[in-house]
Amino acid sequence: MDAATLELRNVSKHYPGAPKPAIDDLSLEVGAGEICVLVGPSGCGKTTAMRLVNRMIELSSGDILLDGRSVKDRKPAELRREIGYAIQQIGLFPHQTIAQNISTVPKLLGWEKGRTARRVDELLELIGLDRSLAKRYPAQLSGGQRQRVGVARALAADPPLLLMDEPFGAIDPINRERLQNEFLRLQGELRKTIVFVTHDIDEAIKMGDKIAILKEGGVLAQYAPPAELLTFPADRFVEDFVGSDRALKRLALQRVRDIDLWKAATVRVGEPSAEVARKLEDADVKYPLLVDDHGKPIGWLSQRAWQGERVTHDLRSNADPIVELDDILRDALSDLLAKDSRYGPVVDKDGCVAGVLSIEALSHALAANPEDLPSPSERAAAELGE
Amino acid sequence: MSLPAVLAQSSIKPRDRSVTGCPQNNDLCPGWIADNVDRYVDPFVRHVELTALALAFGFPIAFALAVLAYRRRWLVGPITATTGILYTLPSLAVFFLLQPVTGRGITTATIALTSYTLLILFRNIMLGLDNVPAEIKDAARGQGLSANQQLFRVELPLAAPEIFAGLRIAATTTVGLATLAFLAGAGGLGEPLFDGGDGIVFRGNVVFCGLLCVLLAALFDLVFLLVQRLASPWQRVGTA
Amino acid sequence: MSAPTVIAQGALEQFGNGLKFLVSSNTDEYGGGQVGGPGEVWDLLSKHLELSGFAVLIAVVIAVPLGLWLGHLGKGQFAASTVANVGRAVPALGVAAFLFAYLGPSKSNVIITLALLAIPPLFTNTYVGIRQVDRDVVDAARGMGFGGFRILLRLELPMALPLIFGGLRTAAVSVVATATIAPLVGVQSLGTPLIARGVYGSAGQIGAAIAVALLAIFCELLFAGLQRAVTPKGLKLGGEQRHKRRALTLTPTRKVQTP
Ligand SMILES: Nc1ncnc2c1ncn2[C@@H]1O[C@H](COP(=O)(O)OP(=O)(O)OP(=O)(O)O)[C@@H](O)[C@H]1O
Ligand SMILES: [Mg+2]
């Protein structure tokens, strides 16, 4: 099934007996195939907003449209079968095997056995779990594996919309990052519409095509793509919430390949020195970069190395830090700072020099218009397309 | 009225005066019991019957009440109070209070024993359902299971340990109480226990009947335990 | 007249006779002596209460200190659950008959039987009552320099009281109910008219059944009230819901338990 569009129209939720509404006049649109992240401090109504969509909680006022159709006109159970649902506590059924867990919704929808079984295999492969695990019970899996199964279960009937409430919240940081990356890769393939709840702004920036920041009382503070949010926070609340390091956070949104790199003068041992001078004129760095026969960086040449007829192996410093095209800008900057260096050679997948990353190039990138930045879905798709 | 006089009149059914020999000396008399093992067969079968009937009626009633109360929380109080009164009423009193309506016999005994199981079963089924982790209930609902599907496919299987525990407690308690069923004219192991050889409660007879009761209780316990094991293979793997 | 109506009328009449048995004496089945009436009922009731009272008293004296002690030490988890389970599986009637067969008809046999019946709920409830006291609170008290005995007396006991009294309630109600079978082993109690139909007639049976039922319910209410009275205010305030739920899962000998 394709992705659906989702629209919240002036949605409010007032829990009976509560003095204030949990969600107050919330309106947002999520395009088909987009990840919309709901983020905000604890108790601001993220979970409530998400659960209104599949009618786990009933609306007080306003409307929610799934592919243009009001969820109020749908039978809740049927609506929910059409919407994937994954939560932090996972909630796998302990009395059912992994395969049975994954086939919950297909079974409800009356799929025939063969089709369900094929789907289970397909999903296990998609989430990178060995097929032998299908017959195990949830108690026999690790936390990370269970989390993956939770996602697979939500995806089982190929729903056009996925609701995820802090799906990686209970996982240790290293595994969380791995799961996030896996999930983005998956999304590049699946292109589902996703509502993703988190209280972690870094996760929001990483995962979101668009981010909705909610304030206490379920008030929408800002709804924008991550880069815009970081560049133009709507108010003090957003500014504080994204943190004073928001410029650095923007660096997390881009990879080295996304920005204009400096040109390097790459030379080899034995090359005529005159050539070096000519290359330097074209380059942005004033030192030639020595590379080996395959184009891999060796180090920065000293003045003496090209005083003679031909270039000799005489380095002023080695090539560290070497940055990769796929590195995130924030990591690349961190590498530069760690080596106390103003620039470093950038290499492609084969290790060949593709340019030079400098502090100046980085600061130039920060000044770029946020609209020019790619969204996570686009980034994921671009990577797959390679 | 003197005690011996009362006792002399206390027989429920006509005595078999023909028994003589070892039992009259109030001994263990294994030989006599072996020779007369026939007299224990029917009461034993009846005892099984009474226990099984009480559970067969008690369980569906308690189950229905529990499901009702699970969906309508406010019913928990009234149902607990009502079944609590039934539980508090001494079964012996109930045997006799029912007699004007249902007469003497197995019907009366079954009603009394059934009413006694209700609280045990109701409480345990409720407890089992309440103990199902909230996130599992949430996941079931969020996945689009209807209320009945949630109940039968997820909540009840997960409540099985508590439900079976309730059945086991109810079974053992009922086996014990059914020894009194003979006072309602329903037979059971209480009969040979008290009418043992010439109305004398001789030692071997008491020991033998008591053993049969304990054996029966253990048997019920074992059967339910086994069924539970077979029905929930997932419980045998390590815990989450 | 339809059959149900006949049955209903007959039943009403019998209940009426039963009530009459309680309030006024009648000629017995043989036309010999007089049976029933407040005098005899009172006599049987006091015998019934004497048996029950002594039995519960003995059980309390044995089970509560033992439960307190083992609970305080944190030992005997296995003993606690075994006592609870075995206590349930052995029919009271069997024990009574056993003692009768070995020791003959005597009040003390009945009292011992009933006490044996009352010990498991009292012991397990006391034990669990002590064990469920928050260990952090106990640690904190120890840190403040409380000795073991003082912790038991000032901290664990008050917090365990509701459960101990819950056990007392279970024990008392089942003892009062079971004392009804005393006449089967030759000791008089309110159950006498139930067993000796030949003397008391069906009116006597119904009357005594009503009396026994009322007594059990009265007992239940009395001890439920006591239990409420001894529950420390702090526990009552600490969330009605939480407390209820805890009592439900941990009251091990009554109604709910996981063997
Ligand atoms: N069932 C409920 N009944 C009454 N109030 C509720 C209920 N569920 C949530 N609330 C209240 O609504 C507000 C929003 O809750 P919600 O769970 O949506 O917050 P959240 O943003 O998901 O928080 P967290 O990050 O802690 O998960 C809170 O103030 C909460 O106390
Ligand atoms: Mg939440």
Side-chain angles (χ1 to χ4, degrees):
Chain A
M1 217 178 288
D2 292 332
T5 58
L6 178 69
E7 185 183 350
L8 275 65
R9 266 192 206 157
N10 308 102
V11 166
S12 294
K13 174 64 195 180
H14 209 131
Y15 285 111
K20 285 189 302 180
I23 296 291
D24 196 6
D25 197 28
L26 177 66
S27 296
L28 25 110
E29 279 179 52
V30 187
E34 276 185 356
I35 301 180
C36 163
V37 177
L38 300 175
V39 70
S42 184
C44 69
K46 307 177 290 290
T47 299
T48 303
M50 189 201 85
R51 286 160 66 91
L52 285 168
V53 173
N54 65 349
R55 294 189 60 182
M56 294 291 277
I57 300 172
E58 290 299 329
L59 284 165
S60 298
S61 66
D63 202 356
I64 295 178
L65 307 177
L66 184 62
D67 256 345
R69 208 174 145 200
S70 169
V71 296
K72 289 196 278 195
D73 301 338
R74 310 285 308 274
K75 279 193 187 149
E78 278 171 22
L79 176 74
R80 289 178 201 139
R81 289 170 201 177
E82 235 171 72
I83 298 177
Y85 185 70
I87 52 177
Q88 173 176 344
Q89 309 85 344
I90 319 177
L92 292 182
F93 304 146
H95 61 303
Q96 297 186 347
T97 62
I98 300 309
Q100 287 172 326
N101 264 289
I102 295 179
S103 34
T104 304
V105 180
K107 232 184 257 163
L108 289 174
L109 295 173
W111 286 20
E112 45 125 350
K113 271 194 179 152
R115 184 178 172 204
T116 309
R118 276 195 304 280
R119 182 64 181 155
V120 169
D121 282 348
E122 200 177 298
L123 282 163
L124 284 175
E125 191 176 325
L126 195 68
I127 58 169
L129 279 195
D130 196 82
R131 265 217 234 153
S132 62
L133 297 183
K135 288 212 168 60
R136 290 215 193 156
Y137 289 102
Q140 296 168 302
L141 297 193
S142 75
Q145 288 172 328
R146 259 180 259 159
Q147 202 60 257
R148 288 186 180 91
V149 174
V151 173
R153 181 171 70 171
L155 287 170
D158 202 13
L161 173 68
L162 214 58
L163 304 179
M164 309 182 85
D165 192 351
E166 311 208 17
F168 311 132
I171 309 268
D172 64 278
I174 292 171
N175 269 307
R176 184 187 312 148
E177 178 144 8
R178 188 184 304 157
L179 279 170
Q180 285 168 345
N181 294 338
E182 269 175 30
F183 186 73
L184 282 175
R185 177 182 58 76
L186 216 64
Q187 166 66 354
E189 215 170 301
L190 300 171
R191 291 302 199 132
K192 299 285 176 196
T193 307
I194 295 170
V195 176
F196 190 108
V197 169
T198 178
H199 60 257
D200 174 3
I201 185 67
D202 290 311
E203 186 172 56
I205 290 167
K206 179 166 184 185
M207 308 298 288
D209 291 313
K210 277 190 167 175
I211 297 176
I213 296 198
L214 296 181
K215 288 191 234 201
E216 191 68 36
V219 179
L220 185 64
Q222 188 168 6
Y223 184 47
E228 186 182 326
L229 204 75
L230 292 171
T231 324
F232 307 116
D235 56 17
R236 266 309 289 272
F237 174 81
V238 177
E239 212 176 313
D240 289 347
F241 191 77
V242 298
S244 43
D245 61 341
R246 61 195 159 87
L248 283 178
K249 284 189 170 121
R250 273 196 62 189
L251 288 177
L253 291 175
Q254 283 171 285
R255 290 174 193 276
V256 174
R257 65 163 72 252
D258 297 328
I259 67 169
D260 295 329
L261 296 175
W262 278 10
K263 266 205 216 92
T266 53
V267 300
R268 288 157 213 257
V269 174
E271 210 169 302
S273 295
E275 190 74 358
V276 177
R278 202 188 52 72
K279 279 183 180 170
L280 270 182
E281 255 165 50
D282 263 359
D284 298 306
V285 202
K286 60 179 192 283
Y287 304 105
L289 179 63
L290 186 69
V291 297
D292 66 9
D293 290 344
H294 306 290
K296 293 183 180 156
I298 297 169
W300 302 100
L301 278 186
S302 71
Q303 203 76 20
R304 261 175 296 140
W306 48 293
Q307 293 297 317
E309 187 84 347
R310 294 191 176 266
V311 174
T312 60
H313 194 291
D314 190 350
L315 300 180
R316 56 185 291 130
S317 63
N318 64 14
D320 280 355
I322 297 175
V323 178
E324 289 179 29
L325 274 177
D326 277 335
D327 282 351
I328 287 169
L329 286 186
R330 190 189 50 199
D331 299 346
L333 173 62
S334 161
D335 286 349
L336 288 182
L337 297 176
K339 297 288 177 200
D340 201 13
S341 173
R342 293 177 54 82
Y343 43 79
V346 177
V347 298
D348 61 19
K349 272 215 175 82
D350 304 321
C352 302
V353 174
V356 170
L357 181 71
S358 66
I359 301 275
E360 286 84 350
L362 279 169
S363 78
H364 185 72
L366 279 178
N369 193 332
E371 267 139 50
D372 298 338
L373 301 180
S375 72
S377 299
E378 280 165 10
R379 292 198 310 262
E383 269 169 52
L384 272 171
E386 266 174 24
Chain B
M1 174 167 286
S2 74
L3 187 62
V6 170
L7 285 175
Q9 302 300 327
S10 70
S11 173
I12 301 301
K13 58 173 228 186
R15 291 252 166 77
D16 176 3
R17 295 258 164 213
S18 62
V19 180
T20 49
C22 176
Q24 283 181 323
N25 303 328
N26 196 10
D27 283 333
L28 281 177
C29 314
W32 186 89
I33 291 175
D35 290 343
N36 293 274
V37 85
D38 285 355
R39 68 193 289 275
Y40 299 101
V41 173
D42 281 352
F44 183 78
V45 171
R46 175 52 71 87
H47 211 97
V48 176
E49 213 177 327
L50 284 168
T51 311
L53 278 174
L55 294 175
F57 286 112
F59 186 73
I61 297 173
F63 184 82
L65 290 175
V67 169
L68 209 66
Y70 186 57
R71 299 227 165 118
R72 311 215 189 298
R73 255 5 257 202
W74 61 270
L75 283 172
V76 175
I79 293 179
T80 310
T82 313
T83 51
I85 289 176
L86 292 179
Y87 184 89
T88 304
L89 290 178
S91 38
L92 198 57
V94 179
F95 288 149
F96 291 106
L97 287 175
L98 281 174
Q99 275 184 23
V101 187
T102 52
R104 287 168 58 77
I106 193 164
T107 316
T108 303
T110 305
I111 294 176
L113 293 176
T114 301
S115 75
Y116 202 77
T117 63
L118 292 182
L119 181 70
I120 301 170
L121 293 171
F122 172 76
R123 282 265 186 126
N124 268 57
I125 298 172
M126 279 305 282
L127 183 73
L129 291 175
D130 284 342
N131 277 354
V132 176
E135 73 266 16
I136 290 175
K137 292 178 188 170
D138 187 77
R141 197 161 81 93
Q143 230 128 160
L145 276 77
S146 68
N148 279 333
Q149 285 166 336
Q150 285 167 47
L151 185 68
F152 286 101
R153 295 192 191 181
V154 179
E155 289 159 350
L156 281 174
L158 292 180
E162 285 90 343
I163 295 178
F164 276 100
L167 277 169
R168 290 165 64 191
I169 297 168
T172 33
T173 327
T174 307
V175 167
L177 282 179
T179 49
L180 294 175
F182 77 103
L183 292 169
L189 282 171
E191 203 162 75
L193 185 65
F194 272 95
D195 217 25
D198 205 15
I200 299 171
V201 187
F202 75 95
R203 294 174 176 177
N205 181 57
V206 168
V207 172
F208 188 63
C209 288
L211 278 181
L212 284 179
C213 279
V214 172
L215 197 79
L216 189 57
L219 210 70
F220 269 103
D221 203 51
L222 205 70
V223 167
F224 284 126
L225 199 68
L226 232 86
V227 174
Q228 185 196 347
R229 283 278 158 83
L230 287 179
S232 39
W234 55 278
Q235 286 227 302
R236 269 169 286 161
V237 308
T239 43
Chain C
M1 252 194 304
S2 65
T5 330
V6 175
I7 293 178
Q9 277 190 349
L12 273 184
E13 198 187 322
Q14 292 197 51
F15 280 123
N17 290 340
L19 286 174
K20 248 187 250 159
F21 172 86
L22 294 178
V23 292
S24 63
S25 61
N26 307 75
T27 314
D28 74 16
E29 293 290 292
Y30 302 101
Q34 290 280 302
V35 290
E40 178 157 17
V41 171
W42 181 251
D43 180 46
L44 292 176
L45 177 67
S46 57
K47 284 177 171 142
H48 197 105
L49 290 180
E50 186 190 340
L51 294 174
S52 311
F54 273 116
V56 172
L57 199 69
I58 291 172
V60 167
V61 167
I62 294 174
V64 172
L66 198 68
L68 287 178
W69 185 57
L70 287 176
H72 178 70
L73 295 180
K75 286 180 187 154
Q77 180 78 53
F78 179 73
S81 63
T82 309
V83 165
N85 291 333
V86 171
R88 205 177 47 237
V90 178
L93 185 64
V95 179
F98 185 82
L99 289 175
F100 177 68
Y102 276 85
L103 305 169
S106 79
K107 257 198 221 168
S108 54
N109 285 343
V110 173
I111 290 176
I112 292 172
T113 307
L114 295 177
L116 285 177
L117 192 73
I119 285 175
L122 272 167
F123 172 71
T124 32
N125 274 42
T126 307
Y127 180 84
V128 174
I130 296 288
R131 290 313 298 160
Q132 50 109 51
V133 174
D134 195 341
R135 289 296 109 184
D136 290 343
V137 177
V138 174
D139 269 359
R142 191 158 287 138
M144 287 186 290
F146 275 46
F149 190 68
R150 190 184 278 221
I151 287 177
L152 181 62
L153 215 66
R154 298 273 293 275
L155 202 71
E156 293 174 327
L157 188 61
M159 292 178 66
L161 271 185
L163 266 188
I164 296 177
F165 272 75
L168 184 63
R169 172 178 163 189
T170 311
V173 172
S174 60
V175 161
V176 161
T178 311
T180 317
I181 63 173
L184 279 177
V185 289
V187 176
Q188 296 224 52
S189 77
L190 259 186
T192 302
L194 293 180
I195 311 293
R197 181 202 172 101
V199 179
Y200 292 90
S202 77
Q205 283 187 326
I206 307 263
I210 292 173
V212 169
L214 288 179
L215 180 62
I217 290 176
F218 172 76
C219 208
E220 164 83 8
L221 293 179
L222 178 75
F223 283 94
L226 265 180
Q227 187 181 5
R228 196 155 309 138
V230 299
T231 304
K233 250 211 187 106
L235 283 185
K236 276 185 205 155
L237 292 175
E240 186 74 3
Q241 210 61 35
R242 230 185 82 229
H243 187 67
K244 255 189 211 152
R245 193 166 164 84
R246 188 201 290 157
L248 198 79
T249 42
L250 290 179
T251 307
T253 49
R254 171 136 178 165
K255 299 155 190 177
V256 176
Q257 58 195 176
T258 318

